[in-house]
Amino acid sequence: MKKIVLFLLAFLTIITITGCTSSGTPDIALKQAFAKNLTLDGYNYQSEMKLNKLDIKKENVTEKDDKIIAIMKGFSLGFNGAVDSINAKQEIVFDIRYNQNNVDASIKFPVLVDYKKQHIYVGKSILNTVLLPSNMFEKTIMLDFSKNSSLSKKLNKSEDGKVLASYMQKYLSEGHFKKQQESYKKAYADAFNDINVSNFKYTDLSKKQIRLTLDNKDSANVISTILGAIVNDELNASEDKDTPATLSGNQLKSLIMVFLYTIDLQTTIDSNINNSGYIDSNNINFNISDINKKKFNADIQMSTKYDNFNHPNFSINTSNVTENIDIDELVKLFEAKKDKKPVSKKKKKK
């Protein structure tokens, strides 16, 4: 009787863990979570990409190459930031890191784009140290590309400047931001739509963690579809009949597909679904080798965590205009430095 009770308790525990947190097959559960993430009005993310392994056939490698490869393994690249779909703002903090042999270094470069105002903000970084005097170390560098800004007026004085101003005003616009977001959403839906259900597996009893494995063909399709969405046909169509159209999304996708078929790429994506049904982390592993697996083999890992769903936080404060330094001020600083030429001291004749 005691064994039966223990068995029933264990059975009920398993049912509670597996049945209440997720339902359906892993492919449906993951696609539903992806779809829910795409409805978010904003979020924060912390992402890191690093090289775990790079093996090259010894006859192709010198001692110097070995040392370079060893140093490369200490580097990683972080992409942290925020997306605010309601206010059309995006922030990304590039973080170049090195961690090896008791050396732990990090250089961050924060950039925020406000598509509504058509402003680009560069947060406090190495640029402040190099470009600005010490009394301006805490300033945020701002570039205003709006139509009537002093920067746009200056750019419009030359033909090359006009092209740059026109380009920035087109792509730094709320309309472009929204089209881009919709393009990304469609690309993610298309990329994972035709993958065989056998590629999806639950990796824990709670059914919160799902692994997706992609062979070379599936990897090429997913990567080329998502990257191709960055350049879409409508936004890149030429407005001038005499000017050839730029590379379209479909053309880019085809080029990426051709390149990826020249290598062997195996991809593993581990996703975690939180209690609210959102994906709160992804761990992507790319295993890359030559098509015959005889020359090289590399392992690249990219891990990403998501939080602050619908309530993103930004590290660059754009509301306090007294902390911003306009590009005009930077130009004046450079001109002032040029005017202050060092006075050469003539040696006295004995």
Side-chain angles (χ1 to χ4, degrees):
M1 184 66 182
K2 187 177 180 181
K3 289 182 179 180
I4 294 173
V5 172
L6 289 172
F7 172 80
L8 288 173
L9 286 172
F11 180 76
L12 287 171
T13 302
I14 293 171
I15 291 295
T16 302
I17 293 172
T18 60
C20 296
T21 56
S22 179
S23 61
T25 57
D27 62 308
I28 292 174
L30 187 60
K31 288 175 182 178
Q32 285 177 342
F34 263 123
K36 192 165 185 179
N37 275 53
L38 294 176
T39 65
L40 289 167
D41 292 330
Y43 55 88
N44 282 87
Y45 62 92
Q46 303 86 41
S47 187
E48 182 184 53
M49 183 167 64
K50 61 181 180 178
L51 179 68
N52 285 332
K53 181 179 74 173
L54 179 57
D55 293 332
I56 301 175
K57 198 172 180 180
K58 283 298 178 182
E59 63 189 50
N60 301 321
V61 180
T62 64
E63 186 178 342
K64 184 180 178 181
D65 292 331
D66 268 334
K67 189 171 184 179
I68 292 171
I69 291 169
I71 293 171
M72 284 175 61
K73 290 178 181 178
F75 280 99
S76 63
L77 186 60
F79 304 94
N80 307 322
V83 177
D84 185 346
S85 299
I86 298 297
N87 296 300
K89 290 165 63 176
Q90 282 192 114
E91 182 183 71
I92 181 168
V93 181
F94 299 94
D95 187 3
I96 302 169
R97 304 164 184 162
Y98 185 81
N99 189 305
Q100 197 169 229
N101 293 337
N102 287 325
V103 177
D104 191 1
S106 171
I107 298 176
K108 295 181 181 179
F109 190 78
V111 178
L112 186 148
V113 181
D114 188 326
Y115 290 89
K116 280 187 176 181
K117 293 181 179 179
Q118 296 187 304
H119 290 177
I120 296 177
Y121 300 89
V122 181
K124 290 175 284 187
S125 68
I126 190 70
L127 289 182
N128 292 59
T129 311
V130 175
L131 299 178
L132 303 181
S134 57
N135 63 327
M136 291 186 177
F137 268 21
E138 298 301 309
K139 293 282 187 179
T140 296
I141 300 170
M142 181 185 73
L143 288 83
D144 183 356
F145 286 99
S146 58
K147 190 175 181 180
N148 296 317
S149 70
S150 59
L151 177 58
S152 293
K153 287 176 181 177
K154 283 185 179 180
L155 289 172
N156 284 322
K157 289 179 180 179
S158 67
E159 288 302 315
D160 290 340
K162 280 182 181 178
V163 173
L164 176 60
S166 175
Y167 178 89
M168 297 304 289
Q169 284 160 15
K170 178 181 178 181
Y171 288 93
L172 287 180
S173 66
E174 189 176 2
H176 168 68
F177 174 80
K178 289 181 177 178
K179 286 180 181 178
Q180 196 179 52
Q181 293 296 304
E182 291 304 314
S183 179
Y184 291 164
K185 289 178 182 180
K186 184 179 183 302
Y188 275 104
D190 292 344
F192 296 98
N193 191 44
D194 297 326
I195 299 173
N196 194 291
V197 295
S198 62
N199 292 36
F200 299 81
K201 302 285 185 186
Y202 284 120
T203 54
D204 71 341
L205 289 175
S206 69
K207 291 191 176 182
K208 286 184 178 182
Q209 296 175 7
I210 298 172
R211 173 168 292 178
L212 173 60
T213 53
L214 306 173
D215 60 15
N216 195 66
K217 181 181 177 182
D218 286 332
S219 297
N221 181 62
V222 169
I223 292 171
S224 62
T225 300
I226 293 172
L227 291 181
I230 297 171
V231 184
N232 64 70
D233 296 331
E234 184 179 351
L235 290 174
N236 285 273
S238 175
E239 296 176 1
D240 184 354
K241 292 181 180 179
D242 298 324
T243 305
T246 53
L247 190 68
S248 72
N250 286 332
Q251 289 172 326
L252 179 62
K253 179 179 177 180
S254 299
L255 287 173
I256 295 170
M257 288 283 282
V258 170
F259 167 72
L260 291 175
Y261 277 133
T262 64
I263 60 174
D264 184 74
L265 174 61
Q266 304 294 317
T267 308
T268 304
I269 304 174
D270 288 303
S271 301
N272 189 78
I273 302 173
N274 66 16
N275 291 330
S276 299
Y278 294 108
I279 294 174
D280 60 10
S281 68
N282 278 319
N283 189 49
I284 306 175
N285 191 82
F286 300 103
N287 187 267
I288 310 167
S289 63
D290 60 287
I291 202 72
N292 297 315
K293 299 183 179 181
K294 292 181 178 179
K295 295 180 179 179
F296 74 93
N297 182 264
D299 197 80
I300 301 171
Q301 181 183 350
M302 185 169 182
S303 55
T304 307
K305 292 182 179 180
Y306 305 94
D307 56 16
N308 297 328
F309 296 135
N310 294 319
H311 301 286
N313 295 321
F314 291 85
S315 64
I316 300 176
N317 181 12
T318 61
S319 60
N320 188 357
V321 293
T322 59
E323 291 299 316
N324 299 333
I325 178 169
D326 192 84
I327 194 71
D328 284 345
E329 292 180 72
L330 283 179
V331 172
K332 288 176 184 176
L333 284 172
F334 292 136
E335 289 175 346
K337 285 183 179 180
K338 286 181 182 178
D339 292 338
K340 290 181 180 179
K341 294 180 180 179
V343 180
S344 58
K345 294 181 180 179
K346 293 181 180 180
K347 294 182 178 179
K348 293 179 180 180
K349 291 182 180 180
K350 292 181 179 179

Short mmCIF file of all heavy atoms in Angstrom, two decimals, residues 99-119:
data_model
loop_
_atom_site.label_atom_id
_atom_site.label_comp_id
_atom_site.label_asym_id
_atom_site.label_seq_id
_atom_site.Cartn_x
_atom_site.Cartn_y
_atom_site.Cartn_z
N ASN A 99 39.12 37.98 -22.04
CA ASN A 99 39.26 37.30 -20.76
C ASN A 99 40.14 36.07 -20.95
O ASN A 99 39.68 35.05 -21.47
CB ASN A 99 37.89 36.90 -20.21
CG ASN A 99 37.96 36.40 -18.78
OD1 ASN A 99 38.70 35.47 -18.48
ND2 ASN A 99 37.18 37.01 -17.90
N GLN A 100 41.38 36.19 -20.53
CA GLN A 100 42.31 35.07 -20.67
C GLN A 100 43.61 35.39 -19.92
O GLN A 100 44.03 36.55 -19.89
CB GLN A 100 42.61 34.82 -22.16
CG GLN A 100 43.23 33.47 -22.44
CD GLN A 100 43.27 33.14 -23.92
OE1 GLN A 100 42.87 32.07 -24.35
NE2 GLN A 100 43.74 34.07 -24.73
N ASN A 101 44.21 34.38 -19.32
CA ASN A 101 45.51 34.54 -18.65
C ASN A 101 45.52 35.70 -17.65
O ASN A 101 46.42 36.55 -17.66
CB ASN A 101 46.62 34.74 -19.68
CG ASN A 101 46.84 33.50 -20.53
OD1 ASN A 101 46.51 32.39 -20.12
ND2 ASN A 101 47.38 33.69 -21.72
N ASN A 102 44.50 35.74 -16.79
CA ASN A 102 44.37 36.78 -15.76
C ASN A 102 44.21 38.19 -16.32
O ASN A 102 44.46 39.17 -15.62
CB ASN A 102 45.57 36.75 -14.80
CG ASN A 102 45.51 35.56 -13.88
OD1 ASN A 102 44.43 35.13 -13.46
ND2 ASN A 102 46.67 34.99 -13.57
N VAL A 103 43.81 38.29 -17.58
CA VAL A 103 43.49 39.58 -18.18
C VAL A 103 41.99 39.64 -18.40
O VAL A 103 41.42 38.77 -19.07
CB VAL A 103 44.22 39.79 -19.53
CG1 VAL A 103 43.80 41.12 -20.15
CG2 VAL A 103 45.72 39.73 -19.34
N ASP A 104 41.34 40.63 -17.81
CA ASP A 104 39.89 40.78 -17.94
C ASP A 104 39.60 42.22 -18.35
O ASP A 104 39.69 43.14 -17.53
CB ASP A 104 39.20 40.45 -16.61
CG ASP A 104 37.68 40.33 -16.76
OD1 ASP A 104 37.20 40.48 -17.89
OD2 ASP A 104 37.00 40.10 -15.75
N ALA A 105 39.30 42.44 -19.65
CA ALA A 105 39.11 43.80 -20.17
C ALA A 105 37.77 43.91 -20.88
O ALA A 105 37.25 42.93 -21.42
CB ALA A 105 40.24 44.16 -21.12
N SER A 106 37.21 45.14 -20.88
CA SER A 106 35.94 45.39 -21.54
C SER A 106 35.89 46.83 -22.03
O SER A 106 36.17 47.76 -21.28
CB SER A 106 34.78 45.13 -20.56
OG SER A 106 33.55 45.56 -21.11
N ILE A 107 35.58 47.00 -23.32
CA ILE A 107 35.41 48.34 -23.90
C ILE A 107 33.99 48.41 -24.46
O ILE A 107 33.62 47.66 -25.37
CB ILE A 107 36.43 48.62 -25.02
CG1 ILE A 107 37.85 48.57 -24.46
CG2 ILE A 107 36.15 49.98 -25.67
CD1 ILE A 107 38.93 48.75 -25.52
N LYS A 108 33.18 49.33 -23.91
CA LYS A 108 31.77 49.44 -24.30
C LYS A 108 31.56 50.68 -25.17
O LYS A 108 32.18 51.72 -24.95
CB LYS A 108 30.88 49.50 -23.07
CG LYS A 108 30.91 48.22 -22.24
CD LYS A 108 30.00 48.32 -21.03
CE LYS A 108 30.06 47.02 -20.21
NZ LYS A 108 29.21 47.09 -19.01
N PHE A 109 30.66 50.52 -26.13
CA PHE A 109 30.33 51.61 -27.05
C PHE A 109 28.82 51.66 -27.22
O PHE A 109 28.25 50.93 -28.03
CB PHE A 109 31.03 51.38 -28.39
CG PHE A 109 30.97 52.55 -29.32
CD1 PHE A 109 31.81 53.63 -29.15
CD2 PHE A 109 30.07 52.57 -30.37
CE1 PHE A 109 31.76 54.72 -30.00
CE2 PHE A 109 30.01 53.66 -31.23
CZ PHE A 109 30.86 54.74 -31.05
N PRO A 110 28.12 52.52 -26.44
CA PRO A 110 26.65 52.56 -26.50
C PRO A 110 26.13 53.53 -27.57
O PRO A 110 26.62 54.65 -27.70
CB PRO A 110 26.27 53.05 -25.09
CG PRO A 110 27.47 53.80 -24.61
CD PRO A 110 28.66 53.35 -25.37
N VAL A 111 25.14 53.06 -28.32
CA VAL A 111 24.50 53.88 -29.37
C VAL A 111 22.99 53.74 -29.24
O VAL A 111 22.47 52.63 -29.11
CB VAL A 111 24.94 53.43 -30.78
CG1 VAL A 111 24.23 54.28 -31.85
CG2 VAL A 111 26.44 53.54 -30.95
N LEU A 112 22.28 54.87 -29.26
CA LEU A 112 20.83 54.86 -29.22
C LEU A 112 20.29 55.63 -30.43
O LEU A 112 20.77 56.72 -30.74
CB LEU A 112 20.31 55.50 -27.93
CG LEU A 112 18.79 55.42 -27.68
CD1 LEU A 112 18.49 55.32 -26.19
CD2 LEU A 112 18.06 56.65 -28.25
N VAL A 113 19.30 55.04 -31.11
CA VAL A 113 18.67 55.69 -32.26
C VAL A 113 17.22 56.01 -31.90
O VAL A 113 16.46 55.11 -31.53
CB VAL A 113 18.72 54.79 -33.51
CG1 VAL A 113 18.06 55.51 -34.70
CG2 VAL A 113 20.15 54.41 -33.85
N ASP A 114 16.86 57.28 -32.01
CA ASP A 114 15.48 57.72 -31.81
C ASP A 114 14.92 58.03 -33.19
O ASP A 114 15.22 59.07 -33.80
CB ASP A 114 15.46 58.97 -30.92
CG ASP A 114 14.04 59.37 -30.51
OD1 ASP A 114 13.12 59.17 -31.33
OD2 ASP A 114 13.87 59.90 -29.40
N TYR A 115 14.11 57.11 -33.71
CA TYR A 115 13.60 57.23 -35.08
C TYR A 115 12.56 58.35 -35.20
O TYR A 115 12.40 58.92 -36.28
CB TYR A 115 13.00 55.91 -35.54
CG TYR A 115 14.03 54.83 -35.76
CD1 TYR A 115 14.42 53.98 -34.73
CD2 TYR A 115 14.62 54.65 -37.00
CE1 TYR A 115 15.38 53.00 -34.92
CE2 TYR A 115 15.58 53.67 -37.22
CZ TYR A 115 15.94 52.85 -36.18
OH TYR A 115 16.90 51.89 -36.38
N LYS A 116 11.85 58.64 -34.13
CA LYS A 116 10.85 59.72 -34.18
C LYS A 116 11.53 61.08 -34.33
O LYS A 116 11.10 61.91 -35.13
CB LYS A 116 9.98 59.70 -32.92
CG LYS A 116 8.87 58.65 -32.94
CD LYS A 116 7.95 58.82 -31.74
CE LYS A 116 6.78 57.85 -31.82
NZ LYS A 116 5.86 57.99 -30.68
N LYS A 117 12.58 61.30 -33.55
CA LYS A 117 13.28 62.59 -33.58
C LYS A 117 14.37 62.63 -34.65
O LYS A 117 14.91 63.69 -34.94
CB LYS A 117 13.90 62.88 -32.21
CG LYS A 117 12.89 63.12 -31.11
CD LYS A 117 13.59 63.43 -29.79
CE LYS A 117 12.60 63.69 -28.68
NZ LYS A 117 13.28 63.96 -27.39
N GLN A 118 14.71 61.44 -35.18
CA GLN A 118 15.80 61.31 -36.16
C GLN A 118 17.14 61.73 -35.55
O GLN A 118 17.94 62.42 -36.15
CB GLN A 118 15.50 62.11 -37.44
CG GLN A 118 14.27 61.59 -38.18
CD GLN A 118 14.06 62.24 -39.52
OE1 GLN A 118 13.96 63.45 -39.60
NE2 GLN A 118 13.99 61.45 -40.58
N HIS A 119 17.34 61.27 -34.32
CA HIS A 119 18.57 61.56 -33.58
C HIS A 119 19.36 60.26 -33.37
O HIS A 119 18.77 59.19 -33.15
CB HIS A 119 18.27 62.15 -32.20
CG HIS A 119 17.72 63.53 -32.24
ND1 HIS A 119 17.32 64.20 -31.10
CD2 HIS A 119 17.50 64.39 -33.27
CE1 HIS A 119 16.89 65.40 -31.43
NE2 HIS A 119 16.98 65.54 -32.73
#
